[in-house]
Amino acid sequence: VSRHQLGEFEEIVMLTVGILYKEAYGVAIIDEMEGRLKRKVSIGALQTVLRRLESKGYLTSEFGEATNVRGGKRKRYFSLTTLGSRVLRETQEQRMEMFKAIPRMAFPKS
Amino acid sequence: MKPLPNIQPPELFLRFFRWFCDPAIEEDIEGDLREMFDRDVTTGGSIAKAKWRFSIRILRLFRPGIIKKIGHSTPLNRSSPMFKNYFLTSMRSLMRSKGFSSINIIGLAVGFATFSLISFYVYNELSFDRYHQNADRIFRIVENLRTENEELFQSTSSPPMGPNFLREFPEVVSYVRFQQWSLLAQRNNISSYERDSYIADSTVFDVFSFNLLKGDKKTALREPFSIVLTESMAKKYFGNEEPLGQTLKMDYDNYKVTGVMEDVPENSHFRFSNLISFSTWSRNNKRAEDVAWFWNGFHTYLLLRDAESADQVRAKMKDFIAKNIEKGGMYYEDLPLQPLTSIYMAPPRSWENGARGSMSNVYILSIIAVFILLIACFNYINLATARASRRLKEVGLRKSLGALRRMLIAQFLGESLIVTFIASLIAVMLAWIALPAFRTLVESPLSFSIFPNPWLVAGAALTLVIVVGLLAGAYPAYIISKFQPLQIFRPSAKGIFGHHNLRKVLVGIQFVISITLVAGTMLVYDQLDVVRNQDLGFDKEGLVILPTNGDTAIVNYLEAVKHELKQVPGVIDVAGSAQIPGQSANNLYTEIEMADGKMSPTNINYNFVDYDFLATYDIKVLAGRNFAREVKADDTTAYLINETAVKDFGWTPEEAIGKKVHGRYHGKIIGVVKDFHYRSLHTKVEPLMMALTKNVNRMAIRIERSDDVHATVERVQKKWSELIPYLPFDYSFLDVEFDRQYKADQQLGKVAGVFTGLAMFIGCLGLLGLTSFVVERRTKEIGIRKVLGASVFSVVLLITREFIWLVLIALVIATPITWYLIGQWEQNFTLQAVINPLRFAVAGLAVFLVAWLTISFLSLRAATANPTKALKTE
């Protein structure tokens, strides 16, 4: 499955989409990421990654209802696809396995 | 969260976003942007900041992945596949060397942005008064007035001229006379000086295209004491009330509002806040209106049948003057007609109404704009030709596959068009962002309404982009398309300039331009310094000026008011006068006794002053004495005269004392004062007479030059409102007012400074690009040199020495050019600064240093790098 490599930012975006479940649209994703990770996320970077993940088939999206808050523009809600959730899970497992493989001695005593 | 219907995100950026964004994803991203914007507005405080962040977000969305796919939906893919391939390779080559592409794009973008801002300003300056429908048929009567001693070139005319021109010349259709009245307007509790009140003939709305919103344009200015207000003045005094039919008190009279008009456009050579019917003046001056041919306090405009008939009128002028105007000691040499549209830029005549532009400033700024664009173009040419060898393989392959030379030329021209086009998009953003700052810089409102047709502007901009794109791309396209496929095996690794002398010349020209701009800016500041520090003949610092407009209470109790004001702590002296230095002055018909004892008629400038005028302004008496309260007859017999007048009449100061003068009263000269600049600094000091008066229009208060000027002014204000509560305390500082006369020139200094900086910036970008290219090409050579023992210094020198010569040659070329240009510009001033040759050396050195730092920055990095790294790269 090595061809499904996720970049760090891609991974975080997918995690956030998962966390927000049915509420994952642009601004909410940015808020969630900024809130959890304490780092600035630019809309340009996020949107590019979202579209890329969608074209890879990891994410899917659909329009929500129009509201008048956003100048009548609909929100686009993202959600994980089956492929996406599998890739995400595999990534997490890989990480965990690697973390567990670190010998206890390697951690400096604190 | 409530929707905010009133605050909208910046339209321009939004439109840009909609244009570039992939339509499939446009809607929801725009929604996100709007949501974030609304949130910024409601939580983040300032709207400007919200708009700023909105724009930045859009700029950051301008990236692959968001931009719509070219070749899918655009017409490009419908044309030949070859074209698409050209486009793709061009884009790839741009993306591959992001550094060089961004240098080109940023340079061109800044160049375009400055060029368009300056063009906007220049267009505004040249658009003055052209909005009138009859603009080419309107002429102003001006005078060449001959007196016994001199010829005066005045912008004014006298009341009988208009009516008599209309009667005598069939070519004249109509006339309007104006006279400026500075009036104190009062209504309810608003009172304020309306300095730009004008009386005008009722024909004003026929001749000029001022837009009357309310009232009847035929009758509005017919009856005495009728007034037409501009919209903003109507709002000021009447708020939301209906002004039509109401009365407004101005000075001591009540005026009936008979009309409301649109504000006078900013690009008008004179602007007014209201118009008063001419009959208000003429009802008391019936005789003067018919015969006062030399009462030159008016500006008369004629509407002619057509633009050409001006020549016919001019041809008959000599006869007209001879027939109608009695020739005395003073007579009209000529009455020229000045086309309305030329007034703003024409060299000012005396007594001009309104501010005047300066053609030389327009020229200088235009030159700077072209220079900056040139520098940016040269950058493109230099980098494109320097990097041409990078495209060798591509060109070789294309040629082997049968590409014709013209196809290659088209490809590379297309590439430069793409670059200029991207640059122009960024330039629009830059210009948009910089416009408010630019408006402040040139102190001009620069409203878009001056453009007759927005499509014309867009067309002009597009033409400019294409022309620049072709100019910049032509030579590189020619060079690159010339490559022989075999050259691929023989890439050259020459210095910055390779064997292209052209590149050397272009960089040289950039240096010439930079040195010219730097030296020029310094010399402009030298000149402004000279002007600011020149001896005015009086002390302008610490003088507070208060208008009183001949208020009767002040006139009646002048001495008492002055005495009271003098008691205020911090006040040294108080004087009243009809005019203050720096303003205009009146000129009056006067007869003066000459050396042979005969009385000679002349038109001499006057100021009417009080006893403390000389002391308060600190004006020196050269001979004789000042006015003295002890001498009872002084207010009906005594005259003071200035140095220039004495010289003009061929006297020594001592001889002048006792000469007879028949002016306002019959009297004698009692003293000669040292020359002081009583009018604009742009004009030489002319002869001046001073006589005593109580009819004071302006008070001057000299205050102590302590740190607490503000407190003193406040104390004076308190006293003032006790003494004369109904007169507004509308003070100004004389030195500030005086400096304002050089506003246009100071602006030029500031603007030149800013744009010189920009030009240097773009030039440095180019140098940076060239150097980094050379360093990149010579990495290995430098590595070997270092291994063989070359020092860091000698490596840096290797790279930098090529342009040291160029700066020197550029200095030699730039010096005479700048010398000449600045010399021409200084002709505008009566007192000219000496051109300091040292400035050129400093400019040359500055340009050299900046260029050297730019180059050294990169070459030093190459020179200090570990040679093994450089040699390992293969």
Side-chain angles (χ1 to χ4, degrees), chain B residues 351-373:
Chain B
W351 326 120
E352 283 287 357
N353 44 354
R356 291 294 171 263
S358 149
M359 206 60 204
S360 62
N361 287 11
V362 165
Y363 283 138
I364 291 176
L365 283 180
S366 311
I367 291 175
I368 293 181
V370 173
F371 276 3
I372 288 183
L373 208 50

PDB file of all heavy atoms in Angstrom, chain B residues 351-373:
ATOM      1  N   TRP B 351      -2.441  88.022 -10.403  1.00  0.00           N
ATOM      2  CA  TRP B 351      -3.833  87.949  -9.906  1.00  0.00           C
ATOM      3  C   TRP B 351      -4.590  86.758 -10.461  1.00  0.00           C
ATOM      4  O   TRP B 351      -5.736  86.879 -10.863  1.00  0.00           O
ATOM      5  CB  TRP B 351      -4.629  89.228 -10.206  1.00  0.00           C
ATOM      6  CG  TRP B 351      -3.845  90.463 -10.172  1.00  0.00           C
ATOM      7  CD1 TRP B 351      -3.663  91.344 -11.167  1.00  0.00           C
ATOM      8  CD2 TRP B 351      -3.120  90.985  -9.057  1.00  0.00           C
ATOM      9  NE1 TRP B 351      -2.856  92.366 -10.776  1.00  0.00           N
ATOM     10  CE2 TRP B 351      -2.511  92.180  -9.485  1.00  0.00           C
ATOM     11  CE3 TRP B 351      -2.896  90.560  -7.750  1.00  0.00           C
ATOM     12  CZ2 TRP B 351      -1.712  92.933  -8.654  1.00  0.00           C
ATOM     13  CZ3 TRP B 351      -2.098  91.316  -6.933  1.00  0.00           C
ATOM     14  CH2 TRP B 351      -1.528  92.488  -7.377  1.00  0.00           C
ATOM     15  N   GLU B 352      -3.956  85.626 -10.544  1.00  0.00           N
ATOM     16  CA  GLU B 352      -4.677  84.454 -11.015  1.00  0.00           C
ATOM     17  C   GLU B 352      -5.775  84.070 -10.015  1.00  0.00           C
ATOM     18  O   GLU B 352      -5.617  84.253  -8.809  1.00  0.00           O
ATOM     19  CB  GLU B 352      -3.712  83.265 -11.159  1.00  0.00           C
ATOM     20  CG  GLU B 352      -2.829  83.321 -12.398  1.00  0.00           C
ATOM     21  CD  GLU B 352      -3.595  83.018 -13.674  1.00  0.00           C
ATOM     22  OE1 GLU B 352      -4.790  82.721 -13.590  1.00  0.00           O
ATOM     23  OE2 GLU B 352      -2.973  83.119 -14.749  1.00  0.00           O
ATOM     24  N   ASN B 353      -6.854  83.518 -10.537  1.00  0.00           N
ATOM     25  CA  ASN B 353      -7.859  82.931  -9.656  1.00  0.00           C
ATOM     26  C   ASN B 353      -7.555  81.442  -9.561  1.00  0.00           C
ATOM     27  O   ASN B 353      -7.467  80.755 -10.560  1.00  0.00           O
ATOM     28  CB  ASN B 353      -9.263  83.158 -10.210  1.00  0.00           C
ATOM     29  CG  ASN B 353      -9.341  82.883 -11.706  1.00  0.00           C
ATOM     30  OD1 ASN B 353      -8.332  82.637 -12.352  1.00  0.00           O
ATOM     31  ND2 ASN B 353     -10.535  82.918 -12.257  1.00  0.00           N
ATOM     32  N   GLY B 354      -7.374  80.945  -8.376  1.00  0.00           N
ATOM     33  CA  GLY B 354      -7.162  79.501  -8.221  1.00  0.00           C
ATOM     34  C   GLY B 354      -5.722  79.073  -8.447  1.00  0.00           C
ATOM     35  O   GLY B 354      -4.891  79.844  -8.925  1.00  0.00           O
ATOM     36  N   ALA B 355      -5.452  77.833  -8.084  1.00  0.00           N
ATOM     37  CA  ALA B 355      -4.094  77.300  -8.168  1.00  0.00           C
ATOM     38  C   ALA B 355      -3.764  76.929  -9.613  1.00  0.00           C
ATOM     39  O   ALA B 355      -4.646  76.709 -10.421  1.00  0.00           O
ATOM     40  CB  ALA B 355      -3.959  76.070  -7.285  1.00  0.00           C
ATOM     41  N   ARG B 356      -2.478  76.885  -9.899  1.00  0.00           N
ATOM     42  CA  ARG B 356      -2.052  76.535 -11.248  1.00  0.00           C
ATOM     43  C   ARG B 356      -1.164  75.310 -11.227  1.00  0.00           C
ATOM     44  O   ARG B 356      -0.423  75.080 -10.279  1.00  0.00           O
ATOM     45  CB  ARG B 356      -1.276  77.701 -11.871  1.00  0.00           C
ATOM     46  CG  ARG B 356      -2.148  78.890 -12.175  1.00  0.00           C
ATOM     47  CD  ARG B 356      -3.169  78.562 -13.273  1.00  0.00           C
ATOM     48  NE  ARG B 356      -4.146  79.636 -13.420  1.00  0.00           N
ATOM     49  CZ  ARG B 356      -5.338  79.626 -12.843  1.00  0.00           C
ATOM     50  NH1 ARG B 356      -5.709  78.619 -12.097  1.00  0.00           N
ATOM     51  NH2 ARG B 356      -6.173  80.624 -13.011  1.00  0.00           N
ATOM     52  N   GLY B 357      -1.252  74.532 -12.272  1.00  0.00           N
ATOM     53  CA  GLY B 357      -0.396  73.359 -12.390  1.00  0.00           C
ATOM     54  C   GLY B 357       0.959  73.764 -12.943  1.00  0.00           C
ATOM     55  O   GLY B 357       1.221  74.940 -13.198  1.00  0.00           O
ATOM     56  N   SER B 358       1.795  72.778 -13.098  1.00  0.00           N
ATOM     57  CA  SER B 358       3.103  73.088 -13.624  1.00  0.00           C
ATOM     58  C   SER B 358       3.431  72.071 -14.703  1.00  0.00           C
ATOM     59  O   SER B 358       3.464  70.872 -14.467  1.00  0.00           O
ATOM     60  CB  SER B 358       4.123  73.041 -12.494  1.00  0.00           C
ATOM     61  OG  SER B 358       5.369  72.636 -12.987  1.00  0.00           O
ATOM     62  N   MET B 359       3.610  72.585 -15.916  1.00  0.00           N
ATOM     63  CA  MET B 359       3.890  71.702 -17.040  1.00  0.00           C
ATOM     64  C   MET B 359       5.201  70.970 -16.808  1.00  0.00           C
ATOM     65  O   MET B 359       5.329  69.800 -17.168  1.00  0.00           O
ATOM     66  CB  MET B 359       3.948  72.533 -18.328  1.00  0.00           C
ATOM     67  CG  MET B 359       3.609  71.738 -19.560  1.00  0.00           C
ATOM     68  SD  MET B 359       1.941  71.036 -19.475  1.00  0.00           S
ATOM     69  CE  MET B 359       2.138  69.670 -20.592  1.00  0.00           C
ATOM     70  N   SER B 360       6.171  71.657 -16.194  1.00  0.00           N
ATOM     71  CA  SER B 360       7.467  70.988 -16.038  1.00  0.00           C
ATOM     72  C   SER B 360       7.345  69.818 -15.074  1.00  0.00           C
ATOM     73  O   SER B 360       7.986  68.783 -15.258  1.00  0.00           O
ATOM     74  CB  SER B 360       8.542  71.970 -15.591  1.00  0.00           C
ATOM     75  OG  SER B 360       8.221  72.515 -14.341  1.00  0.00           O
ATOM     76  N   ASN B 361       6.477  69.955 -14.063  1.00  0.00           N
ATOM     77  CA  ASN B 361       6.258  68.807 -13.181  1.00  0.00           C
ATOM     78  C   ASN B 361       5.637  67.641 -13.937  1.00  0.00           C
ATOM     79  O   ASN B 361       6.004  66.488 -13.733  1.00  0.00           O
ATOM     80  CB  ASN B 361       5.332  69.193 -12.020  1.00  0.00           C
ATOM     81  CG  ASN B 361       6.028  70.079 -11.019  1.00  0.00           C
ATOM     82  OD1 ASN B 361       7.120  70.571 -11.292  1.00  0.00           O
ATOM     83  ND2 ASN B 361       5.416  70.287  -9.888  1.00  0.00           N
ATOM     84  N   VAL B 362       4.697  67.965 -14.825  1.00  0.00           N
ATOM     85  CA  VAL B 362       4.068  66.903 -15.620  1.00  0.00           C
ATOM     86  C   VAL B 362       5.112  66.216 -16.484  1.00  0.00           C
ATOM     87  O   VAL B 362       5.174  64.985 -16.565  1.00  0.00           O
ATOM     88  CB  VAL B 362       2.935  67.491 -16.481  1.00  0.00           C
ATOM     89  CG1 VAL B 362       2.514  66.506 -17.557  1.00  0.00           C
ATOM     90  CG2 VAL B 362       1.750  67.843 -15.606  1.00  0.00           C
ATOM     91  N   TYR B 363       5.979  67.012 -17.119  1.00  0.00           N
ATOM     92  CA  TYR B 363       7.041  66.423 -17.941  1.00  0.00           C
ATOM     93  C   TYR B 363       7.939  65.522 -17.104  1.00  0.00           C
ATOM     94  O   TYR B 363       8.233  64.394 -17.477  1.00  0.00           O
ATOM     95  CB  TYR B 363       7.901  67.524 -18.578  1.00  0.00           C
ATOM     96  CG  TYR B 363       7.240  68.198 -19.760  1.00  0.00           C
ATOM     97  CD1 TYR B 363       7.307  69.566 -19.924  1.00  0.00           C
ATOM     98  CD2 TYR B 363       6.550  67.444 -20.709  1.00  0.00           C
ATOM     99  CE1 TYR B 363       6.708  70.198 -21.004  1.00  0.00           C
ATOM    100  CE2 TYR B 363       5.950  68.062 -21.784  1.00  0.00           C
ATOM    101  CZ  TYR B 363       6.025  69.438 -21.931  1.00  0.00           C
ATOM    102  OH  TYR B 363       5.418  70.042 -22.993  1.00  0.00           O
ATOM    103  N   ILE B 364       8.387  66.070 -15.967  1.00  0.00           N
ATOM    104  CA  ILE B 364       9.345  65.322 -15.148  1.00  0.00           C
ATOM    105  C   ILE B 364       8.730  63.992 -14.719  1.00  0.00           C
ATOM    106  O   ILE B 364       9.352  62.936 -14.837  1.00  0.00           O
ATOM    107  CB  ILE B 364       9.770  66.155 -13.921  1.00  0.00           C
ATOM    108  CG1 ILE B 364      10.617  67.335 -14.380  1.00  0.00           C
ATOM    109  CG2 ILE B 364      10.555  65.303 -12.926  1.00  0.00           C
ATOM    110  CD1 ILE B 364      11.022  68.275 -13.291  1.00  0.00           C
ATOM    111  N   LEU B 365       7.487  64.032 -14.258  1.00  0.00           N
ATOM    112  CA  LEU B 365       6.862  62.793 -13.807  1.00  0.00           C
ATOM    113  C   LEU B 365       6.666  61.810 -14.957  1.00  0.00           C
ATOM    114  O   LEU B 365       6.856  60.610 -14.800  1.00  0.00           O
ATOM    115  CB  LEU B 365       5.522  63.096 -13.129  1.00  0.00           C
ATOM    116  CG  LEU B 365       5.675  63.640 -11.710  1.00  0.00           C
ATOM    117  CD1 LEU B 365       4.318  63.925 -11.104  1.00  0.00           C
ATOM    118  CD2 LEU B 365       6.413  62.640 -10.849  1.00  0.00           C
ATOM    119  N   SER B 366       6.298  62.342 -16.142  1.00  0.00           N
ATOM    120  CA  SER B 366       6.122  61.439 -17.283  1.00  0.00           C
ATOM    121  C   SER B 366       7.440  60.757 -17.603  1.00  0.00           C
ATOM    122  O   SER B 366       7.478  59.558 -17.885  1.00  0.00           O
ATOM    123  CB  SER B 366       5.646  62.208 -18.512  1.00  0.00           C
ATOM    124  OG  SER B 366       4.575  63.030 -18.180  1.00  0.00           O
ATOM    125  N   ILE B 367       8.511  61.546 -17.569  1.00  0.00           N
ATOM    126  CA  ILE B 367       9.822  60.962 -17.873  1.00  0.00           C
ATOM    127  C   ILE B 367      10.138  59.856 -16.872  1.00  0.00           C
ATOM    128  O   ILE B 367      10.564  58.760 -17.242  1.00  0.00           O
ATOM    129  CB  ILE B 367      10.909  62.061 -17.832  1.00  0.00           C
ATOM    130  CG1 ILE B 367      10.712  63.016 -18.998  1.00  0.00           C
ATOM    131  CG2 ILE B 367      12.294  61.440 -17.881  1.00  0.00           C
ATOM    132  CD1 ILE B 367      11.644  64.204 -18.982  1.00  0.00           C
ATOM    133  N   ILE B 368       9.883  60.142 -15.585  1.00  0.00           N
ATOM    134  CA  ILE B 368      10.170  59.126 -14.568  1.00  0.00           C
ATOM    135  C   ILE B 368       9.361  57.864 -14.841  1.00  0.00           C
ATOM    136  O   ILE B 368       9.879  56.740 -14.756  1.00  0.00           O
ATOM    137  CB  ILE B 368       9.858  59.677 -13.156  1.00  0.00           C
ATOM    138  CG1 ILE B 368      10.833  60.794 -12.809  1.00  0.00           C
ATOM    139  CG2 ILE B 368       9.943  58.567 -12.111  1.00  0.00           C
ATOM    140  CD1 ILE B 368      10.625  61.392 -11.439  1.00  0.00           C
ATOM    141  N   ALA B 369       8.085  58.049 -15.211  1.00  0.00           N
ATOM    142  CA  ALA B 369       7.232  56.877 -15.461  1.00  0.00           C
ATOM    143  C   ALA B 369       7.806  56.030 -16.590  1.00  0.00           C
ATOM    144  O   ALA B 369       7.906  54.807 -16.477  1.00  0.00           O
ATOM    145  CB  ALA B 369       5.816  57.338 -15.811  1.00  0.00           C
ATOM    146  N   VAL B 370       8.197  56.689 -17.674  1.00  0.00           N
ATOM    147  CA  VAL B 370       8.753  55.950 -18.811  1.00  0.00           C
ATOM    148  C   VAL B 370      10.056  55.265 -18.390  1.00  0.00           C
ATOM    149  O   VAL B 370      10.296  54.101 -18.723  1.00  0.00           O
ATOM    150  CB  VAL B 370       8.984  56.902 -19.999  1.00  0.00           C
ATOM    151  CG1 VAL B 370       9.715  56.191 -21.119  1.00  0.00           C
ATOM    152  CG2 VAL B 370       7.651  57.430 -20.498  1.00  0.00           C
ATOM    153  N   PHE B 371      10.877  55.988 -17.642  1.00  0.00           N
ATOM    154  CA  PHE B 371      12.139  55.423 -17.156  1.00  0.00           C
ATOM    155  C   PHE B 371      11.904  54.124 -16.402  1.00  0.00           C
ATOM    156  O   PHE B 371      12.572  53.122 -16.630  1.00  0.00           O
ATOM    157  CB  PHE B 371      12.841  56.418 -16.226  1.00  0.00           C
ATOM    158  CG  PHE B 371      13.671  57.433 -16.962  1.00  0.00           C
ATOM    159  CD1 PHE B 371      13.706  57.445 -18.344  1.00  0.00           C
ATOM    160  CD2 PHE B 371      14.424  58.366 -16.270  1.00  0.00           C
ATOM    161  CE1 PHE B 371      14.468  58.366 -19.027  1.00  0.00           C
ATOM    162  CE2 PHE B 371      15.194  59.296 -16.949  1.00  0.00           C
ATOM    163  CZ  PHE B 371      15.213  59.304 -18.319  1.00  0.00           C
ATOM    164  N   ILE B 372      10.966  54.161 -15.479  1.00  0.00           N
ATOM    165  CA  ILE B 372      10.744  52.987 -14.633  1.00  0.00           C
ATOM    166  C   ILE B 372      10.287  51.806 -15.485  1.00  0.00           C
ATOM    167  O   ILE B 372      10.756  50.679 -15.317  1.00  0.00           O
ATOM    168  CB  ILE B 372       9.718  53.323 -13.530  1.00  0.00           C
ATOM    169  CG1 ILE B 372      10.373  54.255 -12.518  1.00  0.00           C
ATOM    170  CG2 ILE B 372       9.223  52.061 -12.838  1.00  0.00           C
ATOM    171  CD1 ILE B 372       9.521  54.605 -11.347  1.00  0.00           C
ATOM    172  N   LEU B 373       9.412  52.102 -16.443  1.00  0.00           N
ATOM    173  CA  LEU B 373       8.950  51.022 -17.318  1.00  0.00           C
ATOM    174  C   LEU B 373      10.118  50.475 -18.147  1.00  0.00           C
ATOM    175  O   LEU B 373      10.254  49.263 -18.348  1.00  0.00           O
ATOM    176  CB  LEU B 373       7.851  51.563 -18.236  1.00  0.00           C
ATOM    177  CG  LEU B 373       6.829  50.559 -18.723  1.00  0.00           C
ATOM    178  CD1 LEU B 373       6.272  49.764 -17.563  1.00  0.00           C
ATOM    179  CD2 LEU B 373       5.706  51.263 -19.445  1.00  0.00           C
TER     180      LEU B 373
END
